[in-house]
Amino acid sequence: YMCATLLGTTVVALHLCDMQAALDVLQSLNFVDGEKLACAGLSLGGRMTMMISAMDPRVKVAVPSGCMNLYQERYQSLSQCGAQLIPGLLRYGDTPEIFSLIAPRPMVIEIGARDKLIPHEWAERGLARIRKAYEAAGAMDQLYIERFDDGHIFSGKVASDVLQKWWKE
C-alpha cells in the first residue's frame, strides 16, 4: 500500500491492471471461449472479483465471497486493509454502488453467517442498495445471495448451479 501510494497509485489499480491483462491472455487462448469468462474470489479475492466485474464487461458472471462489507463501516472502525483503499470513493458511493455496476449480469454474493469480517447489519444495508440497482436494470433474476452457516470461507453451492446453467446457455 505504501509503495503504491508513493508511486501515485493504489493497490486496487495495480490489481485491476493485472486482472485485465489476465482477461486479455485468456481471450487469446484458442481453447478458451472468450465470451464465457467468469470471476470468483474470497475476501480480497471477492473484493477484486467485484472490482474487475464492475469495470470490465468481459466478465459475464461474478461470484464475490466474503466481501459484503462497506468501506463506510470499515473506515469508522479504522479496520481496513490498505490493499483495498480507494481514495475519495465515499464522496460518490460505496461498495454497493460498485457491485451495482455489475447489473444486469449474473452475480452470486456469498455471506457466511459466522463471518466475523462482515457486520451483518451493514451487509443488509448494502444488499438493499444492490437489489435496487438490479431491479432498476430489470435483472432481479440475475442476483443471487447465498447465506450459509459458516465463517469466512468460499461456499460455491449456489455459484456452482448458476455457473453450470450459464455455461450451458
Side-chain angles (χ1 to χ4, degrees), residues 78-163:
L78 296 177
S79 166
Q80 178 63 41
C81 172
Q84 297 182 32
L85 295 177
I86 302 172
L89 175 66
L90 293 180
R91 287 188 222 149
Y92 308 102
D94 204 326
T95 55
E97 287 67 41
I98 299 171
F99 276 111
S100 296
L101 294 172
I102 299 168
R105 292 170 285 157
M107 177 167 55
V108 180
I109 299 175
E110 294 190 348
I111 303 172
R114 292 184 276 143
D115 189 339
K116 293 181 175 146
L117 297 177
I118 300 176
H120 293 281
E121 63 280 354
W122 282 93
E124 289 307 316
R125 292 181 197 182
L127 288 171
R129 289 159 43 192
I130 297 165
R131 283 185 185 104
K132 284 182 184 178
Y134 268 79
E135 185 176 1
M140 280 301 292
D141 63 332
Q142 299 300 311
L143 177 61
Y144 305 85
I145 311 298
E146 180 184 356
R147 298 172 195 276
F148 53 93
D149 188 30
D150 215 327
H152 195 65
I153 66 164
F154 189 89
S155 167
K157 290 177 185 157
V158 173
S160 177
D161 293 340
V162 170
L163 288 167

